Amino acid sequence: MEAGAQASWIVPAAVFTPLLGGVVAGLSGAWPETRRRLVLAAASILTVVLAGSVLVRASSGATQSVRLVKMTPQVWIHLRVDRLGALYGMAAAVLWLLALVYSFGYMADEHRLGRYYAFFMLSLAWTVGVAYSGNLLTFLVFYELFSILTYPLVVHEQTPEALAAGTKYIVYILIGGSLVLLAIVYAYFLAGAQDIGSPLLDLGMGRGQLLVVFWCFIAGFGVKAALVPLHGWVPDAHPAAPAPFSAVLSGMMVATGSFGIMRVVYNVFGVGLVRELAVMKQVAALAAFTVVFAAVLAMHQDDIKRRLAYSTISQMGYVALGVALVDAQAATGAIVHVANHAFMKGALFFCAGLIIKRLGVRSVREMDGVAKRMPVTAAAFAATSLAMIGTPPLAGFVSKWYLGLGILDSGQVAYLGVLVGGALLAGVYLLPIVYRMYFNEPAPVVEGSPLAQAGAPEAPATMLAPLAAAVLLVVVLGLCTTPAWSPLQLAKAAAEGFFR
Amino acid sequence: METADVRVLLAPAISFACSGLVFLTGRSVFWRRFWSLGAAALKFVVVLSMLPAALTGKTFVWNLIEFTPGIGITFRADALGMFFALVSSALWLITTVYAIGYMEPEHAKVRFFGFFALCVSTTVGVAFAENLLTLFVFYETLTICTYPLVIHEETPEALRAGRKYLAYTLVGGACILLGSALTYQIAGTLTLSRPGVLPAAADPRSLAVLFVTLVAGFGVKAAVMPLHGWLPSAMVAPTPVSALLHAVAVVKVGAFGVLRVVYNVFGIELLKRLGYTVPLAYLAAFTIIAGSVAAMFQDNLKRRLAYSTVSQLSYIVLGAALLTPAAASAAVAHIANQAFAKITMFFAAGAIQRTTGKTQVHELGGVGHQMPWTMAAFTVASLSFVGVPLFAGFITKWYLSVGAFEAGMWWFALVMVASSLLNAAYWLPIVYLAFFKGPEGQEVQRREAKPVLLVPTIACAAWVVVLGTTSDVPGMPFALARAAVEFVFKM
Amino acid sequence: MWWQWPHWLPLVVLVPLGAGVVTPAISRKSTKAAWVWAATAVAATVGASLPLVIRVAQEGPFSYTFGGWTPPYGIEFRFDEVSAFAFVVAFLGALAIVFSLRYAPHALDEARIPYYYALLLLNLAGLIGFSVTGDMFNLYVFMEIISLSGYALVAISGERIAEMAAFKYLVLGAVSSLFVLFGIGMLYGVTGTLNIADATQRLSVVADTVPVAVAVGSIVLGFMVKAALFPLHVWLPDAHAIAPSPVSAVLSGLVVKVGLVGMLRLYQVVYASRAVDLVTLNRLLTWLGAASIVMGAFFAMFQDDIKMMLAYSTISNVGYIVMGFGLASRYALVGAAVHIFNHALIKSALFLSAGAIIYQTGYRRLSDLRGVGRGMPLTGAALAVGAVSIVGIPPTAGFLCKWYIALGAFEAKNAAFGFALVFGALFIFVYYIRMLNAFYFQEPVRAEVTHVGDPPLSMLVPMWVLAALCLAMGLAGKVPLTFIEPVVTRMLAPTGG
């Protein structure tokens, strides 16, 4: 164990609480709905509290580390939290809590709720595990569990489209996971160690081998981070999954890939080695292409969830770009964008889910006049869209600002165009929806549609509350950037650590 | 550190005596069950009682009889043998419980349980064999004892499968016999207690012949392609037989033999110099891929399991052939990892067959809703084969991949990756069918398997997770695998 | 010590010989009396042979001379390790006679039964005499006693087919005896002595080796007919299959071995004297042995009669032994010699169980006997043990031979024959598996065979004693080896006899 790391029971507790919650949910098939909700909410809130306390500790610069179990001499589970991990874990815990509460309303009339909640909570456990993993293998363990055990959520509807999307999802994810495994094994072979901390690899290990490891990692994580051309599963999986899960899928799960890329660049290779290898130019180009390409595609999507999914691909391109610039400012932007994007995209998907559920429409063309029927939802959608575009003082602005600083800093000014272009394109694919919501007349109510049956179209408070919370967070994240525990400061500190 | 201890003899002797008692008193249901369960439990306890000492590095030996001058039937529980014995005796116990439930409606139960016990006796005999001749004695006996189990149904199909089984395995046995004789001729000893007995100065042509005969001989039971033909046909046997014999005893004996040949007959250094293992590694890699591809096209669940076994066994062979410590750890550990996962699947397949009568994959839609626990166990095993972390299969995958890099043959790591993807491609659809597809428009009745079938299934599945998470906790047998590897590599 | 009393050696031959001669006279009235007499006599023979075996194990080879006439002038009985075969003969003979208690009345006319026992005893006497004699002429004489009583035993049922078989056996047997006699005569001409030990010494100084070579060739040819080596086997299947089962056991287990024990004796002489170079002959024998293994198995595969199968199986096993002689390396000879003993046990077990099955069911064709394993569990099990053993599945008795001959093949730098032997053995398994499948795993054609029940104890006990020995002799492979290794060592010793 490295010097200065402190053992803390809170770290594993943050992983095991949702795990336990998931197991309980799995056994809760015959419980009354209220009891199940109480238990799940308690578990989720507890996770937030635990992750929060981990975050607070990490923000003071302490590294917390726990060795859980040694599976074999080469394979062991080791949790270790640095600033990056703490931030990521916290974001996940909060987003999951919001999505869980949202689910209570959204999923009320769905089938197989036991299974749904079980895997939902488990996926939180795996995500926190990924965030807190202390070596590459632990990372892989949680990463793979996360990938595979979310399959039941993707196909939850069990419609033919959902099943087809699920198949596509699992194929992509397994191939990506295999590449990651290969890379990890190779890295282990080269370095003989796998603890995340100071960089594992150095140039003495042979340039060719290092390049192989690097591209295996990037290709493997790139699948999950939806780097074009590895993004194929994203646009299918998002519309198929239930809305609360789409929110976390887009908000955190795709980001797991980006998180992995960060770990690779900062902890496995290290900034120095990456510069030495001169591989980041290609990654940056790829990321920039992803930003623009996905945004362009998003413009042409009619299904609102599909459009949001392409938006996610585009936004994750920003994160990858931030990493690829190899610059402290850009890195800060990338890290903080992971957290910001989680809530922005979460809020957007919450809105989309409400619209689909309450009005029965999912085509952008049918969004006319939604604001008249669902004023709160429409307002939330508008605010979050602005944040996504990068309007100050909302969350999206902060990350883009730092990305821009990083671009200037690193001297690759051309990417400034990508940054701005991406933001503009985001405006192009999001603002027309807002426009239609507010300025077009609603279509007449069709007999027999969900709207006609529901009476009052606005969603009940249980679903609006998490939405409101998410929007609030988007605002707060844009405004509160100075406290030591704020994402921006954490990201700054983390980036400084990596670039020291 | 060697100690004479009768327990090494006792372990095979208990099941041998048990089979005798079953034959004599087995017409009574009570006694049949009593002897089978009692002996299985006793044997497990005996083997387990050797574990603490074995973990501290003690080796138990027992000289039973001098078979021919200079070569005795001698038992020796070294780390590798202990590991294998532990796996097979533990699984015997579990499978006996399952078999009692499963075989209820079958005929000729005395014969079944009698030979069943004999098979386990010989398997442990193989595990504890001190020399190649002892090993061969039990190996060949196992072949014969399995035959009545394979053709238990007595249908023409079963008889055909039995003939095929015998034809393959006896030819393999013949090869081993020749190999043993040649070993004796070259080395003057047959002992398996050293890391390699063959003199480096021996004629390379003889060594080549020796390697081919021994590996081909054991390769038949280890179902290395193209010697695998018997295994899928042998699936006509009742499920507990398929489970124990085709997941554990028979096939693992072959794989175990390959390990013995590579580590104890030739030894790492000699083989590194000779380079014979390289083609073997390619053959194993081919088997891994081809077996998986073949499995994808099987609709009969048990046949799919069989081809998967073909593929999985070659992990062990590949691990042995790479000649590096990590790969060796993978090879040894996979003996247990594959056994528990595969037996879980067989149990699940048998439980489904007994409970719902379904044997084909395409019929399995919605089975997960009828039999959630059984299919949950099946899912765990599937994930283990795919190599998902925290399940046993991952340990193998990890070590084998590291071993491939260590050996400087990184492409075998790609083979591992390809294999896990293929495993996903033929296991996950079953899970998917079971849980996410259902008979349309009708309410699914929950019809879980009988407890006597269900409990062993879940126990094995749970153990797959234990092996995948805590296999290096003090007192767990992985230390044995490590000790075996350290011995072989003289670390 | 009691076992050092010198007269055990003549007794062991004279007791069965004398008892055999008088059997018909004693048992005019009742067949039971004939059995009691024969059983007593054979028990006495076993008793007399036991001290001999102990003595040879303790002291090494010893001799007995009749009337104080020392060799080379007198008649000498010489008991060396190979002669321990005499004990096996007595023991198997005893079991065959016990088995005959119920079998003989079933298979034969009552009037013939006393003659049956008489011939059996004479046959045994001949076999014992053959293995203990130290004199070439007596070797021939005992061989003729064996042959003649053998012909008569094959024909004893009096059926036409039995007579035919016996006639075939007689013709070939007589010719082969002539060859042996011719060879012995030539050896006598060259050396001027009939005593084996003496001849060995004189041969080592003989200058002209051509007549010796011819003599050796002639004797080997004669013995190989007796041993039914392919392609000289044509007489065997009919004779063995048609004889009453206890006789088949004796014929297959023991009488065939006359040729092989004779070979061993001859090789002892030739190797020790170095009179002729046997390389060419050995190569021929190795090839013929291999051919015999495969062809025996090949013919057996197409048989439906269980005793026919067993008879062809004998040809394969003789192939093993001859191949072992031919390879002529230390291990190969050990293997061959061991198999002479073990095959006797195994094949007797098989023939006795087959006999019991025929006795109980009345059927002898495999297609009729389906399911008999359920009807006669103990008999079927004994047969299964025998089958497993003869195929050479370790750790049964049959395995030793495979192991040693394979080792010997490598030792002789003739690995190919090791492969031939071991894979040839697999062919043998093919038809034994057919047999076991039919007995245990196939639907019965004749319903009654599934509930006939096991035979009486007088059959079960001999059969199971042998079956148990099949298992035990594998594990205790050291026991026969203690007798054989010194012989082989002496044979191959570089200094010569």
Side-chain angles (χ1 to χ4, degrees):
Chain A
M1 198 177 295
E2 70 209 277
Q6 26 177 285
S8 165
W9 59 269
I10 300 176
V11 177
V15 179
F16 280 104
T17 309
L19 188 64
L20 209 64
V23 172
V24 171
L27 300 172
S28 70
W31 285 10
E33 195 53 32
T34 338
R35 195 197 310 172
R36 174 155 64 201
R37 286 182 185 178
L38 279 177
V39 170
L40 287 170
S44 192
I45 290 169
L46 188 58
T47 312
V48 171
V49 171
L50 291 166
S53 78
V54 168
L55 180 79
V56 170
R57 285 190 191 207
S59 65
S60 68
T63 307
Q64 299 151 73
S65 169
V66 178
R67 276 173 195 275
L68 278 187
V69 59
K70 196 167 180 191
M71 287 148 72
T72 75
Q74 292 182 5
V75 182
W76 65 93
I77 299 293
H78 175 198
L79 297 181
R80 176 182 169 283
V81 191
D82 57 3
R83 287 194 183 88
L84 179 59
L87 178 61
Y88 184 79
M90 184 64 191
V94 175
L95 183 63
W96 248 267
L97 176 61
L98 297 181
L100 180 73
V101 176
Y102 183 83
S103 301
F104 291 156
Y106 187 86
M107 301 295 289
D109 47 359
E110 290 278 337
H111 67 153
R112 295 191 201 294
L113 283 180
R115 183 177 81 191
Y116 172 79
Y117 285 123
F119 284 104
F120 193 78
M121 289 308 279
L122 286 180
S123 61
L124 172 58
W126 311 140
T127 313
V128 177
V130 167
Y132 291 175
S133 46
N135 62 24
L136 289 177
L137 194 93
T138 312
F139 188 97
L140 180 75
V141 166
F142 288 115
Y143 182 84
E144 287 274 291
L145 286 171
F146 186 29
S147 306
I148 290 170
L149 295 185
T150 46
Y151 175 81
L153 295 172
V154 175
V155 299
H156 184 80
E157 312 277 354
Q158 293 188 211
T159 56
E161 303 90 71
L163 291 172
T167 308
K168 199 165 177 186
Y169 166 81
I170 205 83
V171 168
Y172 268 87
I173 289 301
L174 282 175
I175 292 177
S178 302
L179 284 170
V180 173
L181 171 67
L182 264 185
I184 289 181
V185 171
Y186 209 157
Y188 176 82
F189 167 68
L190 289 176
Q194 48 173 326
D195 279 330
I196 291 173
S198 47
L200 291 170
L201 304 173
D202 60 60
L203 204 55
M205 291 160 183
R207 199 181 170 80
Q209 288 182 312
L210 289 175
L211 283 175
V212 170
V213 176
F214 184 80
W215 286 111
C216 271
F217 267 127
I218 294 295
F221 286 128
V223 170
K224 199 150 231 191
L227 280 180
V228 176
L230 310 170
H231 66 289
W233 61 277
V234 180
D236 286 341
H238 282 74
F245 181 64
S246 300
V248 296
L249 189 62
S250 233
M252 287 315 292
M253 184 150 170
V254 177
T256 316
S258 311
F259 183 70
I261 294 177
M262 291 179 195
R263 283 290 190 215
V264 169
V265 172
Y266 299 137
N267 293 108
V268 178
F269 283 80
V271 173
L273 182 58
V274 163
R275 281 199 182 121
E276 201 67 53
L277 287 173
V279 282
M280 281 322 222
K281 281 226 163 54
Q282 290 95 310
V283 177
L286 196 65
F289 180 67
T290 304
V291 170
V292 179
F293 179 75
V296 171
L297 283 181
M299 284 159 48
H300 296 93
Q301 301 304 320
D302 189 38
D303 184 323
I304 184 165
K305 283 175 91 177
R306 255 183 115 76
R307 187 173 283 203
L308 292 178
Y310 274 106
S311 158
T312 300
I313 301 174
S314 170
Q315 296 294 319
M316 283 299 122
Y318 280 131
V319 178
L321 182 61
V323 177
L325 289 174
V326 205
D327 176 84
Q329 303 281 10
T332 310
I335 295 168
V336 82
H337 196 55
V338 167
N340 291 345
H341 174 257
F343 296 108
M344 296 190 289
K345 196 47 68 60
L348 284 175
F349 267 108
F350 288 163
C351 294
L354 287 178
I355 293 166
I356 292 167
K357 198 84 175 177
R358 306 297 297 186
L359 302 180
V361 296
R362 50 193 306 157
S363 162
V364 170
R365 270 171 295 150
E366 296 169 316
M367 293 291 158
D368 294 347
V370 167
K372 303 251 169 23
R373 294 188 173 134
M374 305 175 74
V376 183
T377 310
F381 193 91
T384 327
S385 295
L386 290 176
M388 195 61 105
I389 294 161
T391 319
L394 299 172
F397 171 70
V398 178
S399 28
K400 286 190 185 150
W401 174 255
Y402 276 92
L403 277 177
L405 284 182
I407 290 170
L408 293 175
D409 221 24
S410 64
Q412 294 156 300
V413 188
Y415 289 121
L416 210 53
V418 172
L419 184 72
V420 176
L424 285 179
L425 284 169
V428 173
Y429 61 74
L430 285 173
L431 290 182
I433 304 177
V434 177
Y435 177 84
R436 276 171 184 271
M437 284 176 168
Y438 278 95
F439 301 112
N440 280 8
E441 279 305 309
V445 177
V446 183
E447 203 59 40
S449 69
L451 178 60
Q453 289 163 358
E458 186 54 277
T462 48
M463 290 202 261
L464 285 180
L467 174 58
V471 174
L472 193 64
L473 271 170
V474 169
V475 177
V476 169
L477 287 176
L479 293 174
C480 287
T481 51
T482 41
W485 45 263
S486 77
L488 182 63
Q489 296 305 323
L490 276 168
K492 260 188 179 164
E496 274 160 22
F498 295 138
F499 283 87
R500 192 163 41 226
Chain B
M1 179 166 41
E2 296 199 352
T3 328
D5 190 304
V6 76
R7 278 178 291 178
V8 255
L9 170 63
L10 227 48
I14 287 169
S15 25
F16 188 73
C18 161
S19 92
L21 289 166
V22 168
F23 279 125
L24 287 179
T25 62
R27 289 193 192 281
S28 133
V29 176
F30 171 78
W31 285 112
R32 187 171 67 229
R33 291 182 180 175
F34 177 82
W35 291 126
S36 297
L37 278 178
L42 186 63
K43 173 180 187 143
F44 182 58
V45 168
V46 166
V47 175
L48 204 61
S49 74
M50 288 192 279
L51 181 61
L55 285 174
T56 60
K58 262 206 185 108
T59 308
F60 294 130
V61 288
W62 189 261
N63 241 317
L64 177 62
I65 191 167
E66 208 168 340
F67 189 67
T68 65
I71 313 170
I73 299 275
T74 305
F75 297 100
R76 181 171 185 281
D78 65 355
L80 184 58
M82 229 3 243
F83 189 82
F84 185 40
L86 210 55
V87 171
S88 52
S89 57
L91 286 175
W92 185 38
L93 182 55
I94 297 173
T95 314
T96 306
V97 175
Y98 185 87
I100 285 175
Y102 185 89
M103 297 302 287
E104 201 90 63
E106 292 278 338
H107 70 137
K109 287 199 274 273
V110 179
R111 181 177 84 202
F112 177 85
F113 281 100
F115 279 105
F116 201 63
L118 260 186
C119 285
V120 180
S121 175
T122 48
T123 308
V124 177
V126 168
F128 286 161
E130 191 269 346
N131 55 48
L132 211 47
L133 191 68
T134 311
L135 196 149
F136 176 67
V137 166
F138 287 104
Y139 185 93
E140 199 77 338
T141 321
L142 178 62
T143 303
I144 303 302
C145 295
T146 321
Y147 179 70
L149 298 175
V150 172
I151 58 169
H152 185 83
E153 310 285 347
E154 300 183 8
T155 55
E157 192 200 354
L159 287 172
R160 227 181 359 262
R163 269 203 300 281
K164 200 165 172 186
Y165 165 73
L166 276 186
Y168 273 88
T169 46
L170 285 174
V171 170
C175 286
I176 297 170
L177 172 62
L178 287 165
S180 312
L182 196 51
T183 308
Y184 192 67
Q185 180 62 26
I186 296 173
T189 174
L190 286 177
T191 184
L192 295 173
S193 59
R194 286 185 239 150
V197 293
L198 294 171
D203 173 23
R205 267 193 326 174
S206 321
L207 289 180
V209 171
L210 180 56
F211 188 77
V212 170
T213 40
L214 281 178
V215 168
F218 287 115
V220 169
K221 274 197 185 164
V224 176
M225 280 186 183
L227 311 171
H228 69 289
W230 61 275
L231 186 62
S233 339
M235 285 301 138
V236 295
T239 303
V241 176
S242 318
L244 185 68
L245 304 180
H246 300 136
V248 192
V250 175
V251 293
K252 284 295 152 56
V253 159
F256 182 78
V258 173
L259 295 184
R260 285 293 198 203
V261 169
V262 170
Y263 297 142
N264 297 104
V265 176
F266 278 82
I268 298 296
E269 282 158 25
L270 183 61
L271 276 178
K272 267 190 185 146
R273 203 162 55 72
L274 293 171
Y276 296 155
T277 48
V278 179
L280 180 62
Y282 281 107
L283 194 64
F286 172 75
T287 309
I288 290 174
I289 300 295
S292 283
V293 171
M296 279 166 68
F297 296 104
Q298 304 300 322
D299 191 41
N300 183 308
L301 183 53
K302 278 178 78 183
R303 279 184 79 84
R304 192 176 283 203
L305 280 163
Y307 276 105
S308 158
T309 305
V310 170
S311 164
Q312 290 286 319
L313 283 168
S314 279
Y315 280 35
I316 303 179
V317 177
L318 179 60
L322 287 176
L323 301 181
T324 67
S329 306
V332 179
H334 202 54
I335 290 179
N337 295 347
Q338 197 263 351
F340 280 96
K342 190 47 70 61
I343 214 164
T344 308
M345 283 195 165
F346 270 114
F347 283 176
I352 292 168
Q353 191 192 348
R354 272 284 184 261
T355 315
T356 67
K358 291 172 181 168
T359 55
Q360 307 294 315
V361 169
H362 73 263
E363 302 171 334
L364 293 179
V367 166
H369 304 315
Q370 287 178 26
M371 309 172 69
W373 287 105
T374 308
M375 283 316 291
F378 188 90
T379 309
V380 167
S382 308
L383 294 178
S384 174
F385 282 124
V386 177
V388 177
L390 294 187
F391 296 96
F394 175 73
I395 307 273
T396 315
K397 199 162 100 178
W398 170 265
Y399 275 92
L400 211 47
S401 305
V402 173
F405 287 119
E406 274 179 356
M409 297 188 265
W410 52 268
W411 48 91
F412 287 122
L414 288 184
V415 169
M416 296 310 301
V417 168
S419 168
S420 38
L421 290 177
L422 284 168
N423 267 288
Y426 60 85
W427 290 131
L428 297 186
I430 297 180
V431 175
Y432 158 88
L433 269 177
F435 284 110
F436 299 106
K437 276 265 164 82
E440 289 296 326
Q442 62 196 61
E443 196 52 35
V444 188
Q445 284 291 312
R446 187 130 164 197
R447 273 170 59 211
E448 192 50 272
K450 287 186 291 184
V452 73
L453 301 184
L454 186 60
V455 171
T457 317
I458 291 178
C460 284
W463 196 253
V464 169
V465 178
V466 172
L467 280 178
T469 48
T470 55
S471 54
D472 202 42
V473 168
M476 286 287 285
F478 190 83
L480 285 175
R482 209 172 48 205
V485 172
E486 279 165 7
F487 174 73
V488 167
F489 287 87
K490 299 176 185 146
M491 296 199 290
Chain C
M1 301 295 279
W2 61 276
W3 40 264
Q4 281 166 322
W5 187 53
H7 302 294
W8 290 122
L9 190 46
L11 268 182
V12 81
V13 181
L14 295 177
V15 166
L17 196 62
V21 171
V22 299
T23 308
I26 283 184
S27 52
R28 267 282 148 73
K29 294 281 151 52
S30 103
T31 55
K32 190 86 181 169
W35 182 80
V36 173
W37 173 250
T40 318
V42 83
T45 314
V46 174
S49 62
L50 197 60
L52 298 174
V53 174
I54 296 172
R55 184 163 168 200
V56 80
Q58 299 280 341
E59 296 181 349
F62 55 91
S63 297
Y64 180 85
T65 49
F66 285 88
W69 290 88
T70 52
Y73 309 107
I75 294 172
E76 186 199 17
F77 276 5
R78 182 164 177 78
F79 201 91
D80 65 0
E81 290 89 345
V82 176
S83 314
F85 187 63
F87 175 71
V88 180
V89 170
F91 182 71
L92 283 181
L95 293 179
I97 285 174
V98 171
F99 190 89
S100 302
L101 169 65
R102 301 294 285 273
Y103 194 90
H106 160 81
L108 305 173
D109 292 346
E110 201 167 323
R112 294 175 193 257
I113 288 175
Y115 297 102
Y116 167 79
Y117 287 117
L119 288 167
L120 208 50
L121 283 174
L122 284 177
N123 194 287
L124 296 177
L127 282 162
I128 294 171
F130 184 83
S131 45
V132 302
T133 183
D135 168 312
M136 281 188 276
F137 186 72
N138 284 335
L139 195 77
Y140 173 73
V141 170
F142 284 120
M143 197 171 85
E144 283 301 274
I145 295 177
I146 300 163
S147 303
L148 291 170
S149 56
Y151 310 143
L153 279 170
V154 170
I156 197 159
S157 70
E159 289 161 24
R160 178 119 189 89
I161 187 166
E163 281 169 10
M164 287 292 292
F167 182 69
K168 200 151 100 180
Y169 184 21
L170 173 71
V171 171
L172 276 159
V175 172
S176 68
S177 298
L178 278 178
F179 273 111
V180 175
L181 184 63
F182 176 67
I184 289 175
M186 282 191 75
L187 281 183
Y188 179 68
V190 173
T191 61
T193 177
L194 282 171
N195 185 285
I196 293 173
D198 204 28
T200 309
Q201 276 178 356
R202 296 196 190 183
L203 271 179
S204 56
V205 293
V206 164
D208 183 10
T209 57
V210 176
V212 182
V214 173
V216 168
S218 166
I219 295 174
V220 167
L221 180 63
F223 279 148
M224 286 303 104
V225 175
K226 295 249 181 262
L229 183 74
F230 176 85
L232 311 170
H233 67 281
V234 286
W235 60 271
L236 181 138
D238 287 343
H240 286 197
I242 285 158
S245 291
V247 175
S248 308
V250 170
L251 288 181
S252 232
L254 302 172
V255 174
V256 164
K257 305 295 156 47
V258 164
L260 301 168
V261 173
M263 276 288 287
L264 203 55
R265 284 263 181 262
L266 178 73
Y267 268 43
Q268 276 177 294
V269 171
V270 177
Y271 275 121
S273 65
R274 310 232 168 275
V276 279
D277 190 13
L278 290 175
V279 173
T280 316
L281 179 65
N282 280 341
R283 195 169 297 155
L284 181 69
L285 287 180
T286 316
W287 277 103
L288 285 180
S292 203
I293 296 172
V294 176
M295 294 314 288
F298 181 74
F299 289 131
M301 273 184 236
F302 300 103
Q303 304 303 321
D304 195 34
D305 180 315
I306 49 173
K307 282 182 74 179
M308 272 302 216
M309 278 187 173
L310 296 179
Y312 275 110
S313 150
T314 300
I315 296 173
S316 292
N317 278 279
V318 166
Y320 287 165
I321 299 169
V322 171
M323 187 197 257
F325 285 144
L327 287 168
S329 63
R330 186 163 168 277
Y331 284 125
L333 284 171
V334 168
V338 163
H339 204 53
I340 292 179
F341 288 76
N342 285 342
H343 177 252
L345 296 175
I346 304 168
K347 194 46 71 58
S348 305
L350 284 169
F351 267 118
L352 291 188
S353 355
I357 288 172
I358 295 167
Y359 172 80
Q360 286 294 93
T361 64
Y363 297 117
R364 51 189 297 159
R365 308 189 75 81
L366 217 46
S367 40
D368 292 329
L369 285 171
R370 288 186 184 168
V372 77
R374 263 165 271 170
M376 306 174 68
L378 288 175
T379 314
L383 194 115
V385 169
V388 165
S389 181
I390 204 152
V391 179
I393 302 297
T396 55
F399 171 65
L400 275 183
C401 130
K402 261 193 349 192
W403 170 251
Y404 274 104
I405 298 182
L407 260 187
F410 292 124
E411 195 182 30
K413 305 264 182 274
N414 234 336
F417 285 105
F419 282 76
L421 170 90
V422 173
F423 287 106
L426 294 182
F427 278 105
I428 299 179
F429 211 28
V430 171
Y431 57 88
Y432 278 107
I433 274 300
R434 241 184 85 205
M435 196 187 275
L436 293 179
N437 269 345
F439 285 0
Y440 285 102
F441 305 117
Q442 283 178 340
E443 275 310 302
V445 175
R446 315 266 175 197
E448 69 268 28
V449 300
T450 56
H451 43 79
V452 285
D454 273 312
L457 274 184
S458 68
M459 294 186 175
L460 263 187
V461 170
M463 169 161 88
W464 262 102
V465 167
L466 287 169
L469 277 174
C470 288
L471 292 172
M473 291 311 275
L475 284 171
K478 261 185 83 162
V479 178
L481 285 175
T482 48
F483 288 98
I484 284 152
E485 287 225 282
V487 180
V488 173
T489 312
R490 260 185 323 214
M491 269 170 82
L492 297 179
T495 49

